[in-house]
Amino acid sequence: MAKIKIQLNETKKDSILKNAAMLFRSKGFKATSVRELADTLGVEAPSLYNHIGSKAELLQEICFDIAADYSTFMQTIISSPENADKKTKKLIEFHIQKLFIDFDKVYVADYEWKQLPKKQLGEFLIQRKIYENNFVEIIEEGIKKKLFKKLQPRITVLTILSAVRGLEFLKSKKNNFTVEVLQQNMVNHLLNGITN
Amino acid sequence: MAKIKIQLNETKKDSILKNAAMLFRSKGFKATSVRELADTLGVEAPSLYNHIGSKAELLQEICFDIAADYSTFMQTIISSPENADKKTKKLIEFHIQKLFIDFDKVYVADYEWKQLPKKQLGEFLIQRKIYENNFVEIIEEGIKKKLFKKLQPRITVLTILSAVRGLEFLKSKKNNFTVEVLQQNMVNHLLNGITN
DNA sequence: TTACAAAACTAACAGTTATTAGTATTTCTT
DNA sequence: AAGAAATACTAATAACTGTTAGTTTTGTAA
């Protein structure tokens, strides 16, 4: 009788979520079967249901965990006394670092959220919108203080968020840039592009 | 006996591809069933097989059509006598315009290519890589001629391509920016961010 | 050792999937 | 109008889906 494979300092639930995120990222949520997930954990599919409620619940936990992390960081940024340019810099750096630490989960939250059950999809989009609005306010603040050029704040935010979201392409390639190099390059590009 | 719905100056195949792209974008390739596609065309599912080879073939045609369009445009850019900054500007503008003209198909090519059958997935990634490499060369040329700052060209290209890929979020919202406004903002942001 | 809970197993389900076979109907060509 | 080609239909398929039921094994505490 096989047991769910776990690593040191990891609960079974952690292991399930980690493997689910890996599969959901590489194949997509819909294209990943519960049997497949069970395989990677070295166990039969129905055994998983001693630990999870449903397949959809896994996607849900991944997406909302990541959303919560972003929300938490945004709160610390908002309540910090720094200027808009420094805030923006820190946000860009955070996104890049977060992608490296929680690659699979961040990817899933970025690209597979559409597969969330209808009700949670709505809640997820609301949280995204709040995050985006917070970011827009920071940009607007920067424009008001003449730190930033007069561009449409919403387009600026979308441009920045999209750019950092696209980093997944660099992870799996030979071009193995370090987090620091990526942060430096992208801050330079994306921040200087809107700075007066 | 129902007939496949088509619009003026549109072949049946066009209509099938258009509706497929719309569904693949909004629900995902895997989550879209052939029956569903048939429904939107006002016909029974098996009838579609008089016009298509398989569901996968539809995804294939969408992805490679778009890839060909990008490749064609890249060739005209490469063989033009303009400077790297003008070339980059035109590429950014093209991406934005293309997204507005062929929204569903561009989205599918950007986000659903992972679901391509293995062999075509390889070919698709090769074409992407070629496009990316061409773009990298343009950036390198700009750096050599001191038009651009000394940043990692590959990161710069990824940043630009990811940023324009993310525009889908603006289409479906109240913020109805015109193509021109988006082009102006993003060129300003993304091009000035790397310009000396 | 015994009892109990946690977690694994096998078997099976009802539903959905893309697709094929075979047949009827419509449309085009002559 | 007749014959051919295109295109629609119904019925059925085998494979796969997430999940449940019921049972057996394992781990833990007395």
Side-chain angles (χ1 to χ4, degrees):
Chain A
M1 250 179 179
K3 286 168 59 181
I4 289 179
K5 289 178 192 160
I6 58 170
Q7 308 218 349
L8 252 72
N9 301 329
E10 194 186 44
T11 69
K12 287 177 187 173
K13 192 62 181 289
D14 285 342
S15 182
I16 294 172
L17 279 171
K18 199 184 62 184
N19 282 272
M22 188 249 290
L23 288 168
F24 294 169
R25 175 189 62 76
S26 57
K27 311 193 51 176
F29 173 75
K30 271 275 179 181
T32 300
S33 73
V34 176
R35 281 168 180 82
E36 223 169 339
L37 171 58
D39 266 355
T40 72
L41 292 160
V43 99
E44 295 299 320
S47 305
L48 285 185
Y49 287 82
N50 288 315
H51 307 279
I52 69 173
S54 66
K55 183 191 171 190
E57 191 193 83
L58 290 172
L59 179 62
Q60 194 195 136
E61 292 187 37
I62 292 168
C63 290
F64 284 93
D65 278 0
I66 294 297
D69 290 346
Y70 281 116
S71 172
T72 301
F73 189 78
M74 179 58 86
Q75 288 313 311
T76 73
I77 288 291
I78 286 177
S79 52
S80 83
E82 286 161 333
N83 279 335
D85 53 351
K86 195 71 189 295
K87 284 179 179 172
T88 303
K89 179 173 188 282
K90 285 197 169 178
L91 280 167
I92 293 172
E93 286 170 347
F94 175 71
H95 273 263
I96 296 169
Q97 193 194 29
K98 186 73 182 161
L99 192 83
F100 269 72
I101 295 173
D102 285 322
F103 182 55
D104 293 325
K105 290 185 183 180
V106 169
Y107 185 96
V108 170
D110 277 346
Y111 295 101
E112 296 292 325
W113 55 267
K114 276 195 180 184
Q115 306 300 332
L116 283 168
K118 215 185 302 180
K119 187 173 179 180
Q120 288 134 31
L121 188 139
E123 176 56 28
F124 183 79
L125 288 178
I126 290 173
Q127 291 194 27
R128 265 186 96 96
K129 190 74 186 172
I130 291 172
Y131 184 87
E132 193 189 300
N133 287 347
N134 285 329
F135 208 151
V136 166
E137 282 176 33
I138 293 172
I139 302 296
E140 283 170 343
E141 181 195 320
I143 294 173
K144 203 183 291 177
K145 293 192 177 172
K146 317 270 188 196
L147 292 168
F148 295 156
K149 291 188 279 192
K150 272 191 185 167
L151 294 172
Q152 288 283 349
R154 186 138 254 129
I155 298 178
T156 297
V157 167
L158 258 293
T159 299
I160 292 173
L161 291 180
S162 302
V164 291
R165 220 186 303 129
L167 277 183
E168 23 111 10
F169 287 106
L170 282 170
K171 278 275 290 185
S172 51
K173 303 202 176 165
K174 312 168 218 160
N175 298 301
N176 239 343
F177 297 111
T178 64
V179 182
E180 289 75 20
V181 168
L182 282 166
Q183 286 175 333
Q184 192 205 313
N185 268 265
M186 294 191 75
V187 166
N188 199 322
H189 188 167
L190 293 169
L191 191 56
N192 288 352
I194 58 171
T195 305
N196 265 325
Chain B
M1 250 181 179
K3 285 167 57 180
I4 289 179
K5 288 178 194 161
I6 58 170
Q7 308 217 350
L8 251 73
N9 302 328
E10 194 186 43
T11 68
K12 287 176 186 173
K13 192 61 182 289
D14 286 342
S15 182
I16 294 172
L17 279 171
K18 198 183 64 183
N19 282 273
M22 187 248 291
L23 288 168
F24 293 169
R25 175 190 62 76
S26 58
K27 310 193 54 176
F29 173 75
K30 272 276 179 181
T32 300
S33 72
V34 176
R35 282 168 178 82
E36 223 168 339
L37 172 58
D39 267 355
T40 71
L41 292 159
V43 98
E44 295 299 319
S47 306
L48 284 186
Y49 286 82
N50 288 316
H51 306 279
I52 69 173
S54 67
K55 183 191 170 189
E57 192 192 82
L58 290 172
L59 179 62
Q60 195 195 135
E61 293 186 39
I62 292 168
C63 289
F64 284 92
D65 278 1
I66 294 298
D69 290 346
Y70 280 116
S71 172
T72 301
F73 189 79
M74 179 58 86
Q75 288 312 312
T76 73
I77 289 291
I78 286 176
S79 52
S80 82
E82 286 161 333
N83 279 335
D85 53 350
K86 196 72 189 294
K87 284 180 181 171
T88 303
K89 179 173 187 283
K90 285 197 169 175
L91 280 167
I92 294 172
E93 285 170 349
F94 175 71
H95 273 264
I96 295 169
Q97 194 195 28
K98 185 73 182 161
L99 191 84
F100 270 73
I101 294 172
D102 285 321
F103 182 57
D104 292 326
K105 290 185 182 181
V106 169
Y107 185 97
V108 170
D110 277 346
Y111 295 101
E112 294 293 325
W113 55 269
K114 277 196 180 184
Q115 306 299 331
L116 282 168
K118 216 185 303 182
K119 188 174 177 179
Q120 287 134 31
L121 187 139
E123 175 58 27
F124 183 78
L125 289 179
I126 290 172
Q127 291 194 28
R128 265 186 96 97
K129 190 75 186 170
I130 292 172
Y131 184 86
E132 192 189 301
N133 288 345
N134 284 331
F135 207 150
V136 166
E137 283 176 33
I138 293 173
I139 301 297
E140 282 170 344
E141 182 196 320
I143 294 173
K144 202 184 291 175
K145 294 194 177 172
K146 316 272 188 195
L147 291 167
F148 294 155
K149 292 187 275 190
K150 274 191 184 167
L151 294 172
Q152 288 282 348
R154 185 137 256 129
I155 299 178
T156 297
V157 167
L158 258 293
T159 299
I160 292 173
L161 291 180
S162 301
V164 292
R165 218 186 304 128
L167 277 182
E168 23 111 12
F169 287 106
L170 281 169
K171 278 275 291 185
S172 49
K173 303 205 175 162
K174 311 167 216 161
N175 297 300
N176 240 343
F177 297 111
T178 64
V179 182
E180 289 75 20
V181 168
L182 281 166
Q183 286 175 333
Q184 193 205 312
N185 269 264
M186 293 191 75
V187 165
N188 199 323
H189 189 167
L190 294 169
L191 191 57
N192 289 351
I194 58 172
T195 305
N196 264 326

